Structures are given as C-alpha cells and as structure tokens.
Amino acid sequence: KALIHEGYTMPTPIQEQSIPIILQKRDLLGCAQTGTGKTAAFAIPLLQLMHEQQQQQPAQRFRPIKTLILTPTRELAIQIDESFRAYGRYLNLNHLVIFGGVSQVNQVNTLRRGVDILVATPGRLLDLMQQNYVSLRDISFFVLDEADRMLDMGFVHDVKKIIAKLPAKRQTLFFSATMP
C-alpha cells in the first residue's frame, strides 16, 4: 500500500537483486550508483521482516532497537529516515534519526519511549551509547550505508567500536555507491 502511495511500480536492478536476498535473511554487499534506489533496496525488505517479526511476538511495553542503519552524514541519515517513514507509513514501527550538531534532548526522549529502527551517524551514536541511552544488544538488522565513504571520512575506529557492541547473530547489509 505504501509503495503504491509512493508511485513505485517496477523495482530497479539493485532492488530486484537485493530484496530477495535480504528477505532470505542473508548478509549482503550491494553496490549501485546514486539515484538507483539503494535505500528502498534495504528499507522495504527490512520493514517487511520487522513487521513479520512483530506479528510473531507478544506486544512489548518497551520496544528495543531492532534495526540500526549507520551512515556518514546527517543529510543522508535524514533521507534514510524519511524513506523509512514513507515505506513504513502503514506499519506500527517506530523510527528515529540521530546525529550530532544539535541538542540530544529530543533524541534521548524518543529513545526512552522505545524505537524499532535507529538511523544514526557514528559520533552521536557512540556518544549516546556511552551515556547509556542506546543499547545495541537487541539488534537483528545492521545496515552500513555508504560504507566506503564512512571509512574514507575517518570513521573506521568508530565503526569498529559500534560493530563490537552488536550481537554476533544478526543480518548485516553493506551498501555503497562508490565502492571500487
């Protein structure tokens, strides 16, 4: 219903190739140029998997973070969050985008209420983890978007710290537009 609302009719090549693999709960490295629908390639199947997971579990009072999308810039984080909002508009899934350079008060208040999907830049995520506002122990799905760019920007140590806190059993997706 949300895809119809967004005007989607045919998948792009990256979506056509990625979505079945993600729905099989397999790890994936996806490379495609900017503007080819990479965000939809991971957001759509993750929303479906999370919705199915939610239907199989009893309702929880506090909702732990199940999906983490790590991205290098606030602009990209905001775009990804907007995509999850659009594609998940008819689902009962909460999402939040966090990044530095702004007050953390609203971000922390939303985290306290419970978030299913967290889109984050590495610095703010680590900061909130160190303050014990974010726990990654319940992550089922981890997406590293623009993975190569994030490493080029000097986030390699931050990314390693974050990955070390993730559960060993999870689905991991790497996406990039520029990976050689």
Short mmCIF file of all heavy atoms in Angstrom, two decimals, residues 31-98:
data_model
loop_
_atom_site.label_atom_id
_atom_site.label_comp_id
_atom_site.label_asym_id
_atom_site.label_seq_id
_atom_site.Cartn_x
_atom_site.Cartn_y
_atom_site.Cartn_z
N CYS A 31 26.26 -2.72 -4.30
CA CYS A 31 26.88 -1.54 -4.91
C CYS A 31 26.05 -1.09 -6.10
O CYS A 31 25.73 -1.90 -6.97
CB CYS A 31 28.30 -1.86 -5.40
SG CYS A 31 29.42 -2.39 -4.12
N ALA A 32 25.69 0.18 -6.09
CA ALA A 32 24.95 0.76 -7.20
C ALA A 32 25.11 2.27 -7.14
O ALA A 32 25.31 2.85 -6.07
CB ALA A 32 23.47 0.38 -7.14
N GLN A 33 25.00 2.90 -8.29
CA GLN A 33 25.19 4.35 -8.36
C GLN A 33 24.12 5.10 -7.56
O GLN A 33 23.04 4.58 -7.30
CB GLN A 33 25.14 4.81 -9.83
CG GLN A 33 26.29 4.32 -10.66
CD GLN A 33 26.17 4.78 -12.11
OE1 GLN A 33 25.08 5.02 -12.62
NE2 GLN A 33 27.31 4.91 -12.77
N THR A 34 24.43 6.33 -7.21
CA THR A 34 23.48 7.21 -6.54
C THR A 34 22.24 7.37 -7.42
O THR A 34 22.35 7.49 -8.64
CB THR A 34 24.15 8.58 -6.29
OG1 THR A 34 25.30 8.37 -5.47
CG2 THR A 34 23.19 9.54 -5.60
N GLY A 35 21.08 7.34 -6.80
CA GLY A 35 19.83 7.54 -7.53
C GLY A 35 19.23 6.27 -8.09
O GLY A 35 18.25 6.33 -8.83
N THR A 36 19.77 5.11 -7.73
CA THR A 36 19.25 3.85 -8.27
C THR A 36 18.30 3.12 -7.32
O THR A 36 17.84 2.03 -7.63
CB THR A 36 20.42 2.90 -8.64
OG1 THR A 36 21.23 2.70 -7.48
CG2 THR A 36 21.25 3.47 -9.78
N GLY A 37 18.05 3.73 -6.16
CA GLY A 37 17.09 3.12 -5.23
C GLY A 37 17.71 2.20 -4.20
O GLY A 37 17.06 1.26 -3.74
N LYS A 38 18.94 2.49 -3.79
CA LYS A 38 19.60 1.64 -2.79
C LYS A 38 18.85 1.66 -1.46
O LYS A 38 18.70 0.61 -0.82
CB LYS A 38 21.05 2.06 -2.57
CG LYS A 38 21.99 1.66 -3.67
CD LYS A 38 23.43 1.97 -3.33
CE LYS A 38 23.68 3.41 -3.01
NZ LYS A 38 23.40 4.35 -4.09
N THR A 39 18.40 2.83 -1.03
CA THR A 39 17.71 2.91 0.26
C THR A 39 16.46 2.03 0.25
O THR A 39 16.23 1.26 1.18
CB THR A 39 17.37 4.36 0.62
OG1 THR A 39 18.58 5.12 0.66
CG2 THR A 39 16.68 4.44 1.97
N ALA A 40 15.69 2.11 -0.80
CA ALA A 40 14.49 1.26 -0.91
C ALA A 40 14.89 -0.22 -0.98
O ALA A 40 14.16 -1.08 -0.47
CB ALA A 40 13.67 1.64 -2.13
N ALA A 41 16.05 -0.50 -1.55
CA ALA A 41 16.51 -1.89 -1.68
C ALA A 41 16.72 -2.54 -0.32
O ALA A 41 16.55 -3.76 -0.19
CB ALA A 41 17.80 -1.94 -2.50
N PHE A 42 17.08 -1.76 0.69
CA PHE A 42 17.18 -2.37 2.02
C PHE A 42 16.01 -2.01 2.93
O PHE A 42 15.60 -2.81 3.76
CB PHE A 42 18.53 -2.07 2.69
CG PHE A 42 18.84 -0.64 3.04
CD1 PHE A 42 18.30 -0.03 4.16
CD2 PHE A 42 19.72 0.10 2.27
CE1 PHE A 42 18.60 1.28 4.49
CE2 PHE A 42 20.05 1.40 2.59
CZ PHE A 42 19.49 2.00 3.72
N ALA A 43 15.43 -0.83 2.77
CA ALA A 43 14.35 -0.41 3.67
C ALA A 43 13.09 -1.25 3.49
O ALA A 43 12.49 -1.69 4.48
CB ALA A 43 14.03 1.07 3.45
N ILE A 44 12.70 -1.50 2.27
CA ILE A 44 11.46 -2.24 2.02
C ILE A 44 11.50 -3.66 2.60
O ILE A 44 10.60 -4.04 3.35
CB ILE A 44 11.10 -2.22 0.51
CG1 ILE A 44 10.77 -0.79 0.08
CG2 ILE A 44 9.97 -3.18 0.20
CD1 ILE A 44 10.72 -0.58 -1.42
N PRO A 45 12.53 -4.45 2.30
CA PRO A 45 12.53 -5.80 2.88
C PRO A 45 12.75 -5.79 4.40
O PRO A 45 12.19 -6.65 5.10
CB PRO A 45 13.67 -6.52 2.15
CG PRO A 45 14.54 -5.44 1.61
CD PRO A 45 13.63 -4.27 1.34
N LEU A 46 13.52 -4.84 4.92
CA LEU A 46 13.70 -4.78 6.38
C LEU A 46 12.38 -4.46 7.08
O LEU A 46 12.07 -5.05 8.11
CB LEU A 46 14.77 -3.77 6.76
CG LEU A 46 16.21 -4.17 6.47
CD1 LEU A 46 17.18 -3.07 6.85
CD2 LEU A 46 16.58 -5.48 7.15
N LEU A 47 11.62 -3.54 6.51
CA LEU A 47 10.31 -3.23 7.09
C LEU A 47 9.42 -4.47 7.07
O LEU A 47 8.71 -4.74 8.05
CB LEU A 47 9.65 -2.08 6.33
CG LEU A 47 10.24 -0.70 6.63
CD1 LEU A 47 9.79 0.31 5.57
CD2 LEU A 47 9.88 -0.23 8.03
N GLN A 48 9.45 -5.23 5.99
CA GLN A 48 8.65 -6.44 5.92
C GLN A 48 9.10 -7.46 6.97
O GLN A 48 8.27 -8.02 7.69
CB GLN A 48 8.72 -7.07 4.53
CG GLN A 48 7.89 -8.35 4.42
CD GLN A 48 7.84 -8.90 3.03
OE1 GLN A 48 7.83 -8.15 2.05
NE2 GLN A 48 7.79 -10.21 2.91
N LEU A 49 10.40 -7.68 7.08
CA LEU A 49 10.91 -8.64 8.06
C LEU A 49 10.57 -8.20 9.49
O LEU A 49 10.19 -9.02 10.33
CB LEU A 49 12.43 -8.81 7.90
CG LEU A 49 12.89 -9.57 6.66
CD1 LEU A 49 14.40 -9.47 6.50
CD2 LEU A 49 12.43 -11.02 6.70
N MET A 50 10.72 -6.91 9.76
CA MET A 50 10.42 -6.40 11.10
C MET A 50 8.92 -6.52 11.41
O MET A 50 8.54 -6.87 12.53
CB MET A 50 10.88 -4.96 11.24
CG MET A 50 12.38 -4.83 11.24
SD MET A 50 12.87 -3.14 11.54
CE MET A 50 12.38 -2.97 13.24
N HIS A 51 8.10 -6.24 10.43
CA HIS A 51 6.65 -6.36 10.62
C HIS A 51 6.29 -7.82 10.91
O HIS A 51 5.50 -8.10 11.84
CB HIS A 51 5.91 -5.86 9.38
CG HIS A 51 4.43 -6.03 9.45
ND1 HIS A 51 3.65 -5.32 10.33
CD2 HIS A 51 3.60 -6.85 8.77
CE1 HIS A 51 2.38 -5.69 10.18
NE2 HIS A 51 2.33 -6.62 9.25
N GLU A 52 6.87 -8.74 10.16
CA GLU A 52 6.60 -10.17 10.39
C GLU A 52 7.08 -10.59 11.78
O GLU A 52 6.38 -11.31 12.50
CB GLU A 52 7.28 -11.02 9.31
CG GLU A 52 6.65 -10.88 7.95
CD GLU A 52 7.47 -11.51 6.83
OE1 GLU A 52 8.57 -12.06 7.10
OE2 GLU A 52 7.00 -11.45 5.67
N GLN A 53 8.25 -10.11 12.17
CA GLN A 53 8.81 -10.41 13.49
C GLN A 53 7.89 -9.86 14.58
O GLN A 53 7.62 -10.53 15.58
CB GLN A 53 10.21 -9.78 13.58
CG GLN A 53 11.08 -10.22 14.71
CD GLN A 53 12.45 -9.56 14.63
OE1 GLN A 53 12.54 -8.35 14.78
NE2 GLN A 53 13.48 -10.34 14.40
N GLN A 54 7.38 -8.66 14.38
CA GLN A 54 6.49 -8.01 15.34
C GLN A 54 5.18 -8.80 15.50
O GLN A 54 4.65 -8.91 16.60
CB GLN A 54 6.21 -6.59 14.87
CG GLN A 54 5.52 -5.70 15.86
CD GLN A 54 5.30 -4.31 15.30
OE1 GLN A 54 4.72 -4.16 14.22
NE2 GLN A 54 5.77 -3.30 16.00
N GLN A 55 4.68 -9.36 14.39
CA GLN A 55 3.43 -10.11 14.43
C GLN A 55 3.58 -11.42 15.21
O GLN A 55 2.60 -11.92 15.76
CB GLN A 55 2.94 -10.42 13.01
CG GLN A 55 2.64 -9.19 12.17
CD GLN A 55 1.62 -8.29 12.81
OE1 GLN A 55 0.52 -8.70 13.15
NE2 GLN A 55 1.98 -7.03 13.01
N GLN A 56 4.79 -11.96 15.24
CA GLN A 56 5.04 -13.25 15.90
C GLN A 56 5.33 -13.11 17.38
O GLN A 56 5.34 -14.10 18.10
CB GLN A 56 6.21 -13.97 15.21
CG GLN A 56 5.92 -14.34 13.78
CD GLN A 56 7.17 -14.81 13.05
OE1 GLN A 56 8.25 -14.85 13.60
NE2 GLN A 56 7.00 -15.16 11.78
N GLN A 57 5.60 -11.90 17.85
CA GLN A 57 5.97 -11.69 19.24
C GLN A 57 4.85 -10.99 20.00
O GLN A 57 4.14 -10.17 19.42
CB GLN A 57 7.24 -10.85 19.33
CG GLN A 57 8.45 -11.51 18.72
CD GLN A 57 9.65 -10.58 18.68
OE1 GLN A 57 9.52 -9.37 18.84
NE2 GLN A 57 10.82 -11.15 18.46
N PRO A 58 4.72 -11.29 21.27
CA PRO A 58 3.72 -10.55 22.06
C PRO A 58 4.12 -9.08 22.16
O PRO A 58 5.30 -8.74 22.09
CB PRO A 58 3.77 -11.24 23.43
CG PRO A 58 5.08 -11.95 23.48
CD PRO A 58 5.47 -12.25 22.05
N ALA A 59 3.13 -8.23 22.31
CA ALA A 59 3.40 -6.79 22.41
C ALA A 59 4.28 -6.51 23.62
O ALA A 59 4.06 -7.05 24.70
CB ALA A 59 2.08 -6.02 22.52
N GLN A 60 5.27 -5.65 23.41
CA GLN A 60 6.19 -5.30 24.49
C GLN A 60 5.90 -3.89 24.97
O GLN A 60 5.58 -3.02 24.18
CB GLN A 60 7.63 -5.37 23.99
CG GLN A 60 8.08 -6.77 23.59
CD GLN A 60 9.47 -6.74 23.00
OE1 GLN A 60 9.74 -5.96 22.10
NE2 GLN A 60 10.35 -7.59 23.50
N ARG A 61 6.07 -3.67 26.25
CA ARG A 61 5.87 -2.33 26.79
C ARG A 61 6.96 -1.39 26.29
O ARG A 61 6.69 -0.30 25.82
CB ARG A 61 5.85 -2.38 28.31
CG ARG A 61 5.19 -1.18 28.89
CD ARG A 61 4.86 -1.32 30.36
NE ARG A 61 5.08 0.00 30.92
CZ ARG A 61 5.96 0.28 31.84
NH1 ARG A 61 6.70 -0.67 32.36
NH2 ARG A 61 6.11 1.51 32.27
N PHE A 62 8.21 -1.84 26.40
CA PHE A 62 9.33 -1.06 25.88
C PHE A 62 9.85 -1.75 24.63
O PHE A 62 10.07 -2.96 24.63
CB PHE A 62 10.46 -0.93 26.90
CG PHE A 62 11.64 -0.18 26.35
CD1 PHE A 62 11.62 1.20 26.26
CD2 PHE A 62 12.75 -0.86 25.87
CE1 PHE A 62 12.69 1.89 25.73
CE2 PHE A 62 13.83 -0.17 25.33
CZ PHE A 62 13.80 1.21 25.27
N ARG A 63 10.05 -1.00 23.56
CA ARG A 63 10.49 -1.58 22.30
C ARG A 63 11.99 -1.32 22.12
O ARG A 63 12.40 -0.19 21.91
CB ARG A 63 9.70 -0.96 21.16
CG ARG A 63 8.23 -1.34 21.27
CD ARG A 63 7.37 -0.43 20.50
NE ARG A 63 7.32 -0.77 19.10
CZ ARG A 63 6.30 -0.52 18.32
NH1 ARG A 63 5.24 0.08 18.80
NH2 ARG A 63 6.33 -0.86 17.06
N PRO A 64 12.79 -2.38 22.19
CA PRO A 64 14.24 -2.20 21.98
C PRO A 64 14.55 -2.00 20.50
O PRO A 64 13.77 -2.40 19.63
CB PRO A 64 14.83 -3.51 22.50
CG PRO A 64 13.74 -4.52 22.29
CD PRO A 64 12.45 -3.77 22.48
N ILE A 65 15.67 -1.39 20.24
CA ILE A 65 16.11 -1.15 18.86
C ILE A 65 16.40 -2.49 18.19
O ILE A 65 17.19 -3.29 18.69
CB ILE A 65 17.37 -0.26 18.83
CG1 ILE A 65 17.09 1.07 19.54
CG2 ILE A 65 17.83 -0.04 17.39
CD1 ILE A 65 18.36 1.85 19.89
N LYS A 66 15.75 -2.75 17.06
CA LYS A 66 15.94 -3.98 16.30
C LYS A 66 16.77 -3.76 15.04
O LYS A 66 17.42 -4.67 14.56
CB LYS A 66 14.58 -4.58 15.90
CG LYS A 66 13.74 -5.03 17.05
CD LYS A 66 14.33 -6.26 17.68
CE LYS A 66 13.40 -6.85 18.71
NZ LYS A 66 13.99 -7.99 19.36
N THR A 67 16.70 -2.55 14.48
CA THR A 67 17.43 -2.24 13.25
C THR A 67 18.27 -1.00 13.47
O THR A 67 17.78 0.01 13.95
CB THR A 67 16.45 -2.00 12.08
OG1 THR A 67 15.74 -3.21 11.83
CG2 THR A 67 17.20 -1.60 10.81
N LEU A 68 19.55 -1.10 13.07
CA LEU A 68 20.46 0.04 13.12
C LEU A 68 20.97 0.30 11.72
O LEU A 68 21.51 -0.60 11.07
CB LEU A 68 21.64 -0.25 14.05
CG LEU A 68 22.76 0.79 14.03
CD1 LEU A 68 22.26 2.16 14.53
CD2 LEU A 68 23.95 0.31 14.86
N ILE A 69 20.78 1.52 11.24
CA ILE A 69 21.35 1.96 9.96
C ILE A 69 22.38 3.02 10.29
O ILE A 69 22.05 4.06 10.87
CB ILE A 69 20.28 2.52 9.01
CG1 ILE A 69 19.24 1.45 8.67
CG2 ILE A 69 20.93 3.00 7.72
CD1 ILE A 69 17.95 1.65 9.36
N LEU A 70 23.62 2.74 9.97
CA LEU A 70 24.72 3.65 10.24
C LEU A 70 25.13 4.31 8.93
O LEU A 70 25.31 3.64 7.91
CB LEU A 70 25.89 2.85 10.82
CG LEU A 70 26.95 3.59 11.60
CD1 LEU A 70 26.35 4.33 12.79
CD2 LEU A 70 28.03 2.61 12.07
N THR A 71 25.25 5.63 8.95
CA THR A 71 25.53 6.39 7.75
C THR A 71 26.47 7.55 8.09
O THR A 71 26.48 8.02 9.23
CB THR A 71 24.21 6.86 7.11
OG1 THR A 71 24.46 7.44 5.86
CG2 THR A 71 23.46 7.82 8.00
N PRO A 72 27.27 8.03 7.13
CA PRO A 72 28.31 9.01 7.47
C PRO A 72 27.85 10.44 7.72
O PRO A 72 28.53 11.17 8.44
CB PRO A 72 29.25 8.96 6.27
CG PRO A 72 28.43 8.47 5.14
CD PRO A 72 27.40 7.57 5.75
N THR A 73 26.73 10.87 7.15
CA THR A 73 26.36 12.28 7.25
C THR A 73 24.92 12.46 7.74
O THR A 73 24.07 11.59 7.53
CB THR A 73 26.48 13.00 5.88
OG1 THR A 73 25.50 12.46 4.99
CG2 THR A 73 27.88 12.85 5.29
N ARG A 74 24.68 13.61 8.35
CA ARG A 74 23.32 13.90 8.82
C ARG A 74 22.35 13.99 7.66
O ARG A 74 21.20 13.58 7.78
CB ARG A 74 23.30 15.17 9.66
CG ARG A 74 23.38 16.44 8.84
CD ARG A 74 23.09 17.69 9.60
NE ARG A 74 24.01 17.88 10.70
CZ ARG A 74 23.86 18.80 11.63
NH1 ARG A 74 22.84 19.61 11.61
NH2 ARG A 74 24.73 18.92 12.58
N GLU A 75 22.79 14.53 6.51
CA GLU A 75 21.89 14.66 5.35
C GLU A 75 21.41 13.30 4.88
O GLU A 75 20.22 13.10 4.62
CB GLU A 75 22.60 15.40 4.21
CG GLU A 75 22.94 16.85 4.52
CD GLU A 75 24.20 17.04 5.40
OE1 GLU A 75 25.00 16.09 5.55
OE2 GLU A 75 24.35 18.15 5.95
N LEU A 76 22.35 12.35 4.78
CA LEU A 76 21.97 11.01 4.36
C LEU A 76 21.11 10.33 5.43
O LEU A 76 20.14 9.64 5.10
CB LEU A 76 23.22 10.18 4.04
CG LEU A 76 22.98 8.82 3.40
CD1 LEU A 76 22.12 8.93 2.14
CD2 LEU A 76 24.33 8.18 3.06
N ALA A 77 21.44 10.54 6.69
CA ALA A 77 20.64 9.95 7.77
C ALA A 77 19.19 10.44 7.71
O ALA A 77 18.26 9.65 7.84
CB ALA A 77 21.27 10.30 9.13
N ILE A 78 19.01 11.73 7.46
CA ILE A 78 17.66 12.30 7.36
C ILE A 78 16.93 11.71 6.16
O ILE A 78 15.74 11.34 6.26
CB ILE A 78 17.73 13.84 7.28
CG1 ILE A 78 18.19 14.41 8.63
CG2 ILE A 78 16.38 14.44 6.88
CD1 ILE A 78 18.60 15.88 8.58
N GLN A 79 17.61 11.58 5.02
CA GLN A 79 16.99 10.99 3.82
C GLN A 79 16.55 9.55 4.07
O GLN A 79 15.45 9.16 3.68
CB GLN A 79 17.96 11.02 2.64
CG GLN A 79 18.19 12.38 2.05
CD GLN A 79 19.26 12.34 0.95
OE1 GLN A 79 19.86 11.31 0.66
NE2 GLN A 79 19.49 13.49 0.34
N ILE A 80 17.40 8.78 4.74
CA ILE A 80 17.07 7.38 5.02
C ILE A 80 15.86 7.31 5.96
O ILE A 80 14.94 6.52 5.74
CB ILE A 80 18.29 6.64 5.61
CG1 ILE A 80 19.38 6.50 4.55
CG2 ILE A 80 17.88 5.27 6.15
CD1 ILE A 80 20.72 6.06 5.09
N ASP A 81 15.85 8.14 6.99
CA ASP A 81 14.73 8.16 7.92
C ASP A 81 13.43 8.53 7.21
O ASP A 81 12.38 7.93 7.47
CB ASP A 81 15.01 9.14 9.06
CG ASP A 81 13.94 9.08 10.14
OD1 ASP A 81 13.80 8.02 10.77
OD2 ASP A 81 13.25 10.10 10.34
N GLU A 82 13.49 9.49 6.29
CA GLU A 82 12.30 9.88 5.52
C GLU A 82 11.82 8.71 4.66
O GLU A 82 10.61 8.51 4.51
CB GLU A 82 12.60 11.09 4.64
CG GLU A 82 12.75 12.37 5.44
CD GLU A 82 13.28 13.55 4.65
OE1 GLU A 82 13.70 13.37 3.47
OE2 GLU A 82 13.30 14.67 5.20
N SER A 83 12.74 7.93 4.12
CA SER A 83 12.35 6.75 3.33
C SER A 83 11.65 5.72 4.22
O SER A 83 10.62 5.16 3.82
CB SER A 83 13.57 6.12 2.67
OG SER A 83 14.11 6.99 1.71
N PHE A 84 12.20 5.46 5.40
CA PHE A 84 11.54 4.52 6.31
C PHE A 84 10.16 5.02 6.71
O PHE A 84 9.23 4.24 6.83
CB PHE A 84 12.41 4.26 7.55
CG PHE A 84 13.37 3.12 7.35
CD1 PHE A 84 14.65 3.35 6.86
CD2 PHE A 84 13.01 1.82 7.65
CE1 PHE A 84 15.54 2.30 6.67
CE2 PHE A 84 13.89 0.76 7.47
CZ PHE A 84 15.16 1.01 6.98
N ARG A 85 10.03 6.32 6.89
CA ARG A 85 8.71 6.90 7.22
C ARG A 85 7.73 6.66 6.07
O ARG A 85 6.59 6.24 6.30
CB ARG A 85 8.84 8.40 7.48
CG ARG A 85 7.48 9.08 7.74
CD ARG A 85 7.59 10.55 8.07
NE ARG A 85 8.17 10.70 9.40
CZ ARG A 85 9.37 11.23 9.65
NH1 ARG A 85 10.11 11.70 8.67
NH2 ARG A 85 9.82 11.31 10.89
N ALA A 86 8.16 6.90 4.84
CA ALA A 86 7.28 6.74 3.69
C ALA A 86 6.91 5.27 3.45
O ALA A 86 5.73 4.94 3.29
CB ALA A 86 7.95 7.31 2.43
N TYR A 87 7.90 4.40 3.44
CA TYR A 87 7.64 2.98 3.13
C TYR A 87 6.93 2.26 4.28
O TYR A 87 6.24 1.27 4.06
CB TYR A 87 8.93 2.23 2.81
CG TYR A 87 9.77 2.87 1.73
CD1 TYR A 87 11.15 2.87 1.81
CD2 TYR A 87 9.19 3.49 0.62
CE1 TYR A 87 11.94 3.45 0.83
CE2 TYR A 87 9.97 4.08 -0.36
CZ TYR A 87 11.35 4.06 -0.24
OH TYR A 87 12.13 4.64 -1.20
N GLY A 88 7.13 2.75 5.51
CA GLY A 88 6.53 2.10 6.66
C GLY A 88 5.32 2.81 7.22
O GLY A 88 4.89 2.53 8.34
N ARG A 89 4.74 3.70 6.43
CA ARG A 89 3.64 4.54 6.91
C ARG A 89 2.45 3.75 7.45
O ARG A 89 1.69 4.25 8.26
CB ARG A 89 3.19 5.52 5.84
CG ARG A 89 2.44 4.90 4.68
CD ARG A 89 1.87 5.91 3.68
NE ARG A 89 2.96 6.67 3.08
CZ ARG A 89 2.98 8.00 3.00
NH1 ARG A 89 1.99 8.71 3.44
NH2 ARG A 89 4.00 8.61 2.44
N TYR A 90 2.23 2.52 6.98
CA TYR A 90 1.08 1.73 7.44
C TYR A 90 1.47 0.65 8.45
O TYR A 90 0.65 -0.20 8.77
CB TYR A 90 0.37 1.10 6.24
CG TYR A 90 -0.12 2.14 5.25
CD1 TYR A 90 0.49 2.29 4.02
CD2 TYR A 90 -1.19 2.99 5.58
CE1 TYR A 90 0.06 3.26 3.12
CE2 TYR A 90 -1.62 3.95 4.69
CZ TYR A 90 -0.99 4.09 3.46
OH TYR A 90 -1.43 5.04 2.58
N LEU A 91 2.70 0.71 8.93
CA LEU A 91 3.18 -0.28 9.90
C LEU A 91 3.31 0.35 11.28
O LEU A 91 3.52 1.55 11.41
CB LEU A 91 4.54 -0.83 9.45
CG LEU A 91 4.57 -1.50 8.08
CD1 LEU A 91 5.99 -1.91 7.73
CD2 LEU A 91 3.64 -2.70 8.04
N ASN A 92 3.23 -0.47 12.28
CA ASN A 92 3.37 0.00 13.65
C ASN A 92 4.83 -0.13 14.09
O ASN A 92 5.15 -0.90 15.00
CB ASN A 92 2.44 -0.81 14.57
CG ASN A 92 2.48 -0.32 16.00
OD1 ASN A 92 2.81 0.83 16.27
ND2 ASN A 92 2.18 -1.21 16.93
N LEU A 93 5.71 0.58 13.40
CA LEU A 93 7.14 0.55 13.71
C LEU A 93 7.61 1.98 13.97
O LEU A 93 7.32 2.88 13.18
CB LEU A 93 7.93 -0.07 12.56
CG LEU A 93 7.66 -1.55 12.28
CD1 LEU A 93 8.28 -1.98 10.95
CD2 LEU A 93 8.17 -2.42 13.42
N ASN A 94 8.34 2.17 15.06
CA ASN A 94 8.86 3.49 15.41
C ASN A 94 10.28 3.64 14.87
O ASN A 94 11.06 2.69 14.92
CB ASN A 94 8.91 3.65 16.93
CG ASN A 94 7.55 3.50 17.57
OD1 ASN A 94 6.55 3.87 16.99
ND2 ASN A 94 7.52 2.96 18.76
N HIS A 95 10.60 4.82 14.39
CA HIS A 95 11.95 5.07 13.90
C HIS A 95 12.43 6.42 14.39
O HIS A 95 11.64 7.30 14.75
CB HIS A 95 12.01 4.99 12.37
CG HIS A 95 11.02 5.86 11.69
ND1 HIS A 95 11.28 7.14 11.31
CD2 HIS A 95 9.72 5.63 11.36
CE1 HIS A 95 10.21 7.66 10.75
NE2 HIS A 95 9.25 6.77 10.78
N LEU A 96 13.75 6.55 14.43
CA LEU A 96 14.37 7.78 14.91
C LEU A 96 15.67 7.98 14.16
O LEU A 96 16.38 7.02 13.87
CB LEU A 96 14.66 7.68 16.42
CG LEU A 96 15.48 8.81 17.05
CD1 LEU A 96 14.70 10.13 17.03
CD2 LEU A 96 15.89 8.44 18.47
N VAL A 97 15.97 9.23 13.85
CA VAL A 97 17.26 9.58 13.26
C VAL A 97 18.03 10.39 14.31
O VAL A 97 17.46 11.27 14.95
CB VAL A 97 17.10 10.36 11.93
CG1 VAL A 97 16.33 11.64 12.11
CG2 VAL A 97 18.44 10.63 11.29
N ILE A 98 19.31 10.02 14.51
CA ILE A 98 20.14 10.77 15.44
C ILE A 98 21.44 11.17 14.76
O ILE A 98 22.02 10.41 13.99
CB ILE A 98 20.43 9.99 16.75
CG1 ILE A 98 21.18 8.68 16.48
CG2 ILE A 98 19.15 9.71 17.51
CD1 ILE A 98 21.67 7.99 17.74
#
